[in-house]
Amino acid sequence: MEPLAERLRPRTLDEYVGQRHLVGEGAVLRKMIEAGRITSFILWGPPGVGKTTLAQIIANRLEAQFYTLSAVTSGVKDVRDVIERAQKGRFFNSASPILFIDEIHRFSKSQQDSLLGAVEKGTVTLIGATTENPSFEVIRPLLSRCQLYVLKSLEKADLLELLHRAVTTDVYLKERNIVMKETGAMLRYSGGDARKLLNILELVVDSFPGDEPVITDEFVEQCLQQNPLAYDKDGEMHYDIISAFIKSIRGSDPDAALYWMARMIEGGEDPQFIARRIVISAAEDVGLANPNALLLANAAFDAVMKIGWPEGRIPLAEAVVYLATSPKSNSAYMGIDGALANVRQTGNLPVPLHLRNVPTKLMKDLGYHDGYKYPHDYPSNFTPQQYLPDDIADSRFWHAQHSPSEQKLYDRMLSCWGDRFKD
């Protein structure tokens, strides 16, 4: 018998649960699908949120040939074979065959290179699925040829809808007269993963001693403690553990940070994944309070790539301890997010004339660059002038957090700009 998650796999967009920002009424992907033409794209999101299902629904809706490759088991030859079959099997004016590549982040550079020509010419429409940030793992030429859509963990309402659908429509479960007395534990253990949620439900129902299961939080916890891997074949608490790891660094607890990293190492986590998170934490959480943290994190990343496991654990541990024990500041992180929010709100404000480039005489005659003051011509290499667009000339995005290192930067801004930088 098929697992419950497979039996309940949606066949149409109307059955698809979650990701309303992509497939809800009027959303970008839904409009493309309804128009009958899609471009190549990559779906990035955590496990169990519907990446594979969405690709299959799109292929069914467009009545397109559908080829599937797994980056874990496929090589360059497999990619070329599929592309050749797609070329031969395509009919005039029909939709491009869809090539779905699961875990595309595991494809090597040569494997990804072998896709470029077919994607650019439209021989196939590529749909890639990944749990990793594509900007790290997908080569730039391929990424530039694909749209990127981010899928989110399912929300509580989505998960409850899935549970209700399972117990009322599944051919086996609906005969059991299941009573969902409590759902909190199942939702908590699922972590927004639909597949994990349905696996938990199936395990709990099969474990119930009577004919008509009554599901409570206590019973769910008992079942999962008795067989904690039954709903997670890889034993992965992937996102929970990386969250605990990052929060331990942010909270300045080197012992906890080392413990959670050890859990990832013992669980077979990709060392690149750990190293990337350390680099992100150095920039996001330590930041300007200790700029050397980013240098050390990058050095640890490079070292791991050169020496591999098991020795790679040592430079990673060095970086983790250094980050956890460093003073913390997220002022740069908050500053760029504030600037991005302002850009989204105000749009494309014009660059002030005195800051514009002057590649031609016409532009110079129009006043481009007029009034610009070259800072190096002034004492201390600074002179006040306006650098922001007129409409937001007085806006502030970076606010110093006054760690010893950052205080020096703040003091210099005060000496340069005076009251503008007083918080």
Side-chain angles (χ1 to χ4, degrees):
M1 182 173 63
E2 285 184 320
L4 176 61
E6 191 58 37
R7 300 199 302 268
L8 284 186
R9 187 181 290 277
R11 303 291 187 261
T12 67
L13 280 181
D14 291 333
E15 294 176 359
Y16 190 81
V17 175
Q19 316 309 330
R20 293 176 184 84
H21 63 296
L22 296 179
V23 297
E25 290 298 327
V28 57
L29 257 181
R30 191 177 193 112
K31 286 196 289 188
M32 280 201 302
I33 296 166
E34 291 175 344
R37 293 286 177 184
I38 62 167
T39 57
S40 294
F41 59 84
I42 293 174
L43 299 171
W44 172 28
V49 296
K51 297 186 289 294
T52 304
T53 297
L54 184 55
Q56 292 175 343
I57 289 173
I58 290 171
N60 291 337
R61 178 68 180 265
L62 300 183
E63 298 182 345
Q65 294 173 281
F66 188 72
Y67 300 97
T68 300
L69 290 176
S70 171
V72 177
T73 58
S74 303
V76 172
K77 184 179 183 299
D78 299 299
V79 174
R80 289 175 177 159
D81 287 347
V82 166
I83 291 172
E84 186 176 345
R85 277 187 284 147
Q87 285 175 319
K88 292 178 179 178
R90 184 178 180 185
F91 296 103
F92 177 73
N93 210 30
S94 63
S96 296
I98 291 174
L99 172 56
F100 176 71
I101 301 180
D102 196 18
E103 298 190 86
I104 194 170
H105 60 276
R106 293 182 182 268
F107 256 15
S108 67
K109 182 180 183 299
S110 61
Q111 288 170 309
Q112 293 183 38
D113 281 337
S114 66
L115 291 166
L116 288 176
V119 172
E120 188 164 21
K121 295 174 184 175
T123 305
V124 296
T125 298
L126 173 66
I127 301 180
T130 177
T131 56
E132 295 293 323
N133 189 331
S135 62
F136 291 118
E137 300 293 352
V138 179
I139 60 173
R140 189 172 297 278
L142 184 57
L143 198 57
S144 69
R145 290 163 173 80
C146 300
Q147 295 293 321
L148 175 63
Y149 298 116
V150 180
L151 279 69
K152 305 173 183 177
S153 295
L154 298 186
E155 299 174 356
K156 180 179 179 181
D158 299 325
L159 297 172
L160 290 174
E161 181 182 341
L162 270 178
L163 287 176
H164 176 73
R165 183 182 297 177
V167 300
T168 58
T169 67
D170 179 69
V171 64
Y172 298 103
L173 294 190
K174 67 181 182 181
E175 302 298 325
R176 298 292 302 273
N177 297 319
I178 299 168
V179 177
M180 304 286 293
K181 192 172 182 181
E182 295 173 319
T183 59
M186 280 197 293
L187 299 186
R188 186 170 66 251
Y189 279 112
S190 75
D193 182 328
R195 182 169 49 246
K196 187 181 290 187
L197 178 72
L198 295 175
N199 288 343
I200 293 172
L201 175 62
E202 193 167 33
L203 168 68
V204 170
V205 170
D206 289 344
S207 302
F208 196 80
D211 292 332
E212 298 186 355
V214 177
I215 296 178
T216 64
D217 289 348
E218 182 180 3
F219 185 66
V220 170
E221 290 167 0
Q222 288 175 358
C223 291
L224 297 184
Q225 287 170 6
Q226 290 168 1
N227 191 359
L229 299 183
Y231 65 93
D232 191 346
K233 292 179 182 178
D234 295 325
E236 91 173 67
M237 297 176 68
H238 180 81
Y239 288 94
D240 289 341
I241 288 180
I242 194 62
S243 175
F245 174 63
I246 293 299
K247 287 172 181 172
S248 298
I249 294 175
R250 185 180 298 144
S252 299
D253 189 334
D255 297 320
L258 287 172
Y259 169 80
W260 292 118
M261 187 169 74
R263 285 281 299 273
M264 287 189 283
I265 292 171
E266 283 298 298
E269 185 59 81
D270 183 351
Q272 289 187 53
F273 176 83
I274 301 173
R276 281 199 299 270
R277 269 51 189 184
I278 292 172
V279 172
I280 293 167
S281 178
E284 179 180 342
D285 294 315
V286 179
L288 293 172
N290 183 2
N292 286 331
L294 185 56
L295 300 177
L296 186 64
N298 268 309
F301 194 128
D302 290 341
V304 168
M305 300 307 294
K306 290 173 182 174
I307 65 178
W309 280 151
E311 290 81 0
R313 75 191 189 283
I314 303 169
L316 287 185
E318 180 181 350
V320 165
V321 171
Y322 188 77
L323 265 61
T325 55
S326 288
K328 305 297 189 292
S329 170
N330 68 346
S331 67
Y333 169 69
M334 298 296 289
I336 185 58
D337 279 3
L340 286 169
N342 184 279
V343 168
R344 291 169 188 141
Q345 181 180 0
T346 59
N348 296 323
L349 296 177
V351 176
L353 285 176
H354 66 283
L355 298 182
R356 295 188 189 185
N357 189 28
V358 194
T360 69
K361 181 178 183 302
L362 173 61
M363 291 179 174
K364 187 172 183 179
D365 292 342
L366 290 174
Y368 284 32
H369 194 73
D370 282 358
Y372 175 66
K373 300 174 184 176
Y374 187 56
H376 296 291
D377 289 341
Y378 295 84
S380 301
N381 302 310
F382 174 82
T383 186
Q385 63 185 320
Q386 180 183 324
Y387 290 99
L388 284 166
D390 293 342
D391 289 355
I392 58 169
D394 297 324
S395 296
R396 285 281 311 284
F397 302 115
W398 178 65
H399 297 272
Q401 295 181 357
H402 310 308
S403 61
S405 174
E406 205 164 346
Q407 185 68 43
K408 295 178 182 178
L409 305 178
Y410 178 66
D411 289 343
R412 181 171 186 274
M413 291 298 95
L414 281 178
S415 68
C416 290
W417 294 99
D419 289 346
R420 178 186 162 194
F421 265 80
K422 284 187 177 178
D423 289 326

